[in-house]
Amino acid sequence: MGEVLLRYGPPAVAWLMVFSWRDGQDAIRRLFLGLAVSLTALTPAVQLAVGHLTGTATLARLAGHAGMVLVAWSAHDLLAHLNGLRRSRWSTWWTAGMFGVMCLCFALQPSLLPQAPWVLEYWVAYLLALTPAFGNVIRLGLRYARTTTGRALRSGLHLVVAGAAMALVYLVNRVVRVASSRFEFAYPLGWSFWMSAVLPNAAHLVVLVGAAVPAVAAWRRRHRRYTRLEPLWRALADADPRIALNPRVGWWNMRMRLYRRVIEIRDGLLDLQPYRDADVATAARAAAASPAQVEAAVVAAAIRARGVSPARVEPGAGAPDLDGDTVFLCEVSDAFSRLDDGRVLRA
């Protein structure tokens, strides 16, 4: 059971990240897709199935290497974007050209055995395809990790850099190992279990975890905000059930769930606008309440007084951008849940 989880768990996680990723950065989705393809293609079941269907057992390994080329290109693209650099056309064409050489070598001799013809050229092309991209991933990843304030992003970047370095070490080792078979010199290190089996799998896993850490951290941050908004949203939805949008969104798409909750709260507050009492706001400010506490008191009073217009209407409060408004509404919801009349609808 443990071996099955070790072999098939990482591909399952990679595919989960591919289909659950909803942020706007396409390079991250491509990175997860490349990891998913590479990890899946290198599983024993897939290699056996591909060999049975095509008669070429090593075709799955070519697909796995293609996935890693996509990972390297996507990671370079992402880190160039984070560092404010333009996408390098030279790097794109170089990576595509080297992968083309790999495909040509494989077509000339569809075998990756060390002693087979064109295998050394294949591995040299593979190394040349990944080295510029992974080299820039290491350089730009370390640069951005020094400047970012996000702990999860910094940890993820360090893991991606470590995985890229491990992949390059493995590829250099593999080229020397294949060269030792062709030119007949001793290289026992290349045949060791740690260099030939542990290192490539560890590189895959470290890059996968490094890419997933910021995504998981962002999901958790949105989930915390989503749950913090629950008291305020519940009171507004009980007052006017029409604000609850349908159909509901799955838990994996927390970005959309949080966005919809903020929109629903804003719809509920807009419906209460004619009943916002300025005298309640004045009394809350006189008690040295924070802006979020003032807003919570005004909303609670407006729900109680729904249908009765006050003498003076208090204007709405909030932030000009979505992220700032979400933070403000979380503070309002926290203050609302602490009010003595927070459960206004059941009072």
Side-chain angles (χ1 to χ4, degrees), residues 64-346:
H65 295 163
M68 281 306 295
V69 171
L70 179 60
V71 169
W73 177 65
S74 301
H76 181 204
D77 195 17
L78 172 65
L79 285 165
H81 172 75
L82 291 177
N83 282 274
L85 303 176
R86 296 180 61 184
R87 177 184 297 175
S88 172
R89 292 186 178 181
W90 176 88
S91 176
T92 300
W93 283 108
W94 174 266
T95 304
M98 288 298 103
F99 181 69
V101 173
M102 292 169 57
C103 293
L104 176 61
C105 293
F106 188 86
L108 292 172
Q109 180 62 47
S111 171
L112 294 182
L113 294 175
Q115 64 274 18
W118 298 104
V119 171
L120 178 59
E121 289 78 6
Y122 175 94
W123 283 102
V124 169
Y126 190 24
L127 175 63
L128 292 176
L130 297 188
T131 297
F134 273 158
N136 281 317
V137 166
I138 294 171
R139 178 177 62 88
L140 297 176
L142 292 176
R143 177 198 293 183
Y144 195 77
R146 288 193 296 267
T147 60
T148 184
T149 58
R151 185 172 59 181
L153 179 56
R154 184 167 57 250
S155 299
L157 286 173
H158 284 149
L159 287 171
V160 170
V161 165
M166 294 164 66
L168 290 178
V169 170
Y170 166 73
L171 286 174
V172 171
N173 170 77
R174 193 61 185 247
V175 168
V176 177
R177 172 179 158 176
V178 174
S180 70
S181 297
R182 174 174 294 187
F183 301 111
E184 299 181 349
F185 62 87
Y187 183 59
L189 177 64
W191 300 90
S192 66
F193 174 74
W194 290 99
M195 292 295 289
S196 61
V198 174
L199 188 60
N201 290 317
H204 276 98
L205 187 60
V206 170
V207 172
L208 175 61
V209 173
V213 163
V216 173
W219 187 94
R220 289 187 60 190
R221 182 176 64 254
R222 294 183 183 117
H223 181 261
R224 284 195 298 268
R225 291 180 176 180
Y226 182 85
T227 54
R228 284 178 65 190
L229 291 171
E230 172 72 21
L232 179 59
W233 177 85
R234 178 61 57 189
L236 293 171
D238 288 346
D240 185 1
R242 295 175 301 173
I243 69 170
L245 301 173
N246 285 306
R248 308 308 299 175
V249 181
W251 279 100
W252 58 87
N253 194 355
M254 189 52 62
R255 183 186 184 93
M256 180 57 68
R257 287 183 74 97
L258 178 61
Y259 173 76
R260 285 181 58 159
R261 175 150 287 187
V262 171
I263 295 301
E264 290 169 354
I265 288 174
R266 276 299 167 196
D267 287 344
L269 294 177
L270 183 62
D271 187 56
L272 291 177
Q273 182 62 36
Y275 316 115
R276 293 170 58 92
D277 195 338
D279 293 335
V280 173
T282 301
R285 293 189 184 97
S290 67
Q293 291 171 328
V294 171
E295 180 68 9
V298 170
V299 171
I303 294 176
R304 282 201 314 272
R306 186 181 176 87
V308 179
S309 299
R312 293 185 301 124
V313 175
E314 174 71 12
D321 60 281
L322 179 61
D323 192 61
D325 200 40
T326 302
V327 172
F328 175 73
L329 290 176
C330 285
E331 295 172 353
V332 173
S333 185
D334 293 341
F336 187 87
S337 66
R338 291 191 295 266
L339 289 174
D340 292 337
D341 56 351
R343 292 182 290 275
V344 291
L345 297 179
R346 293 189 289 274

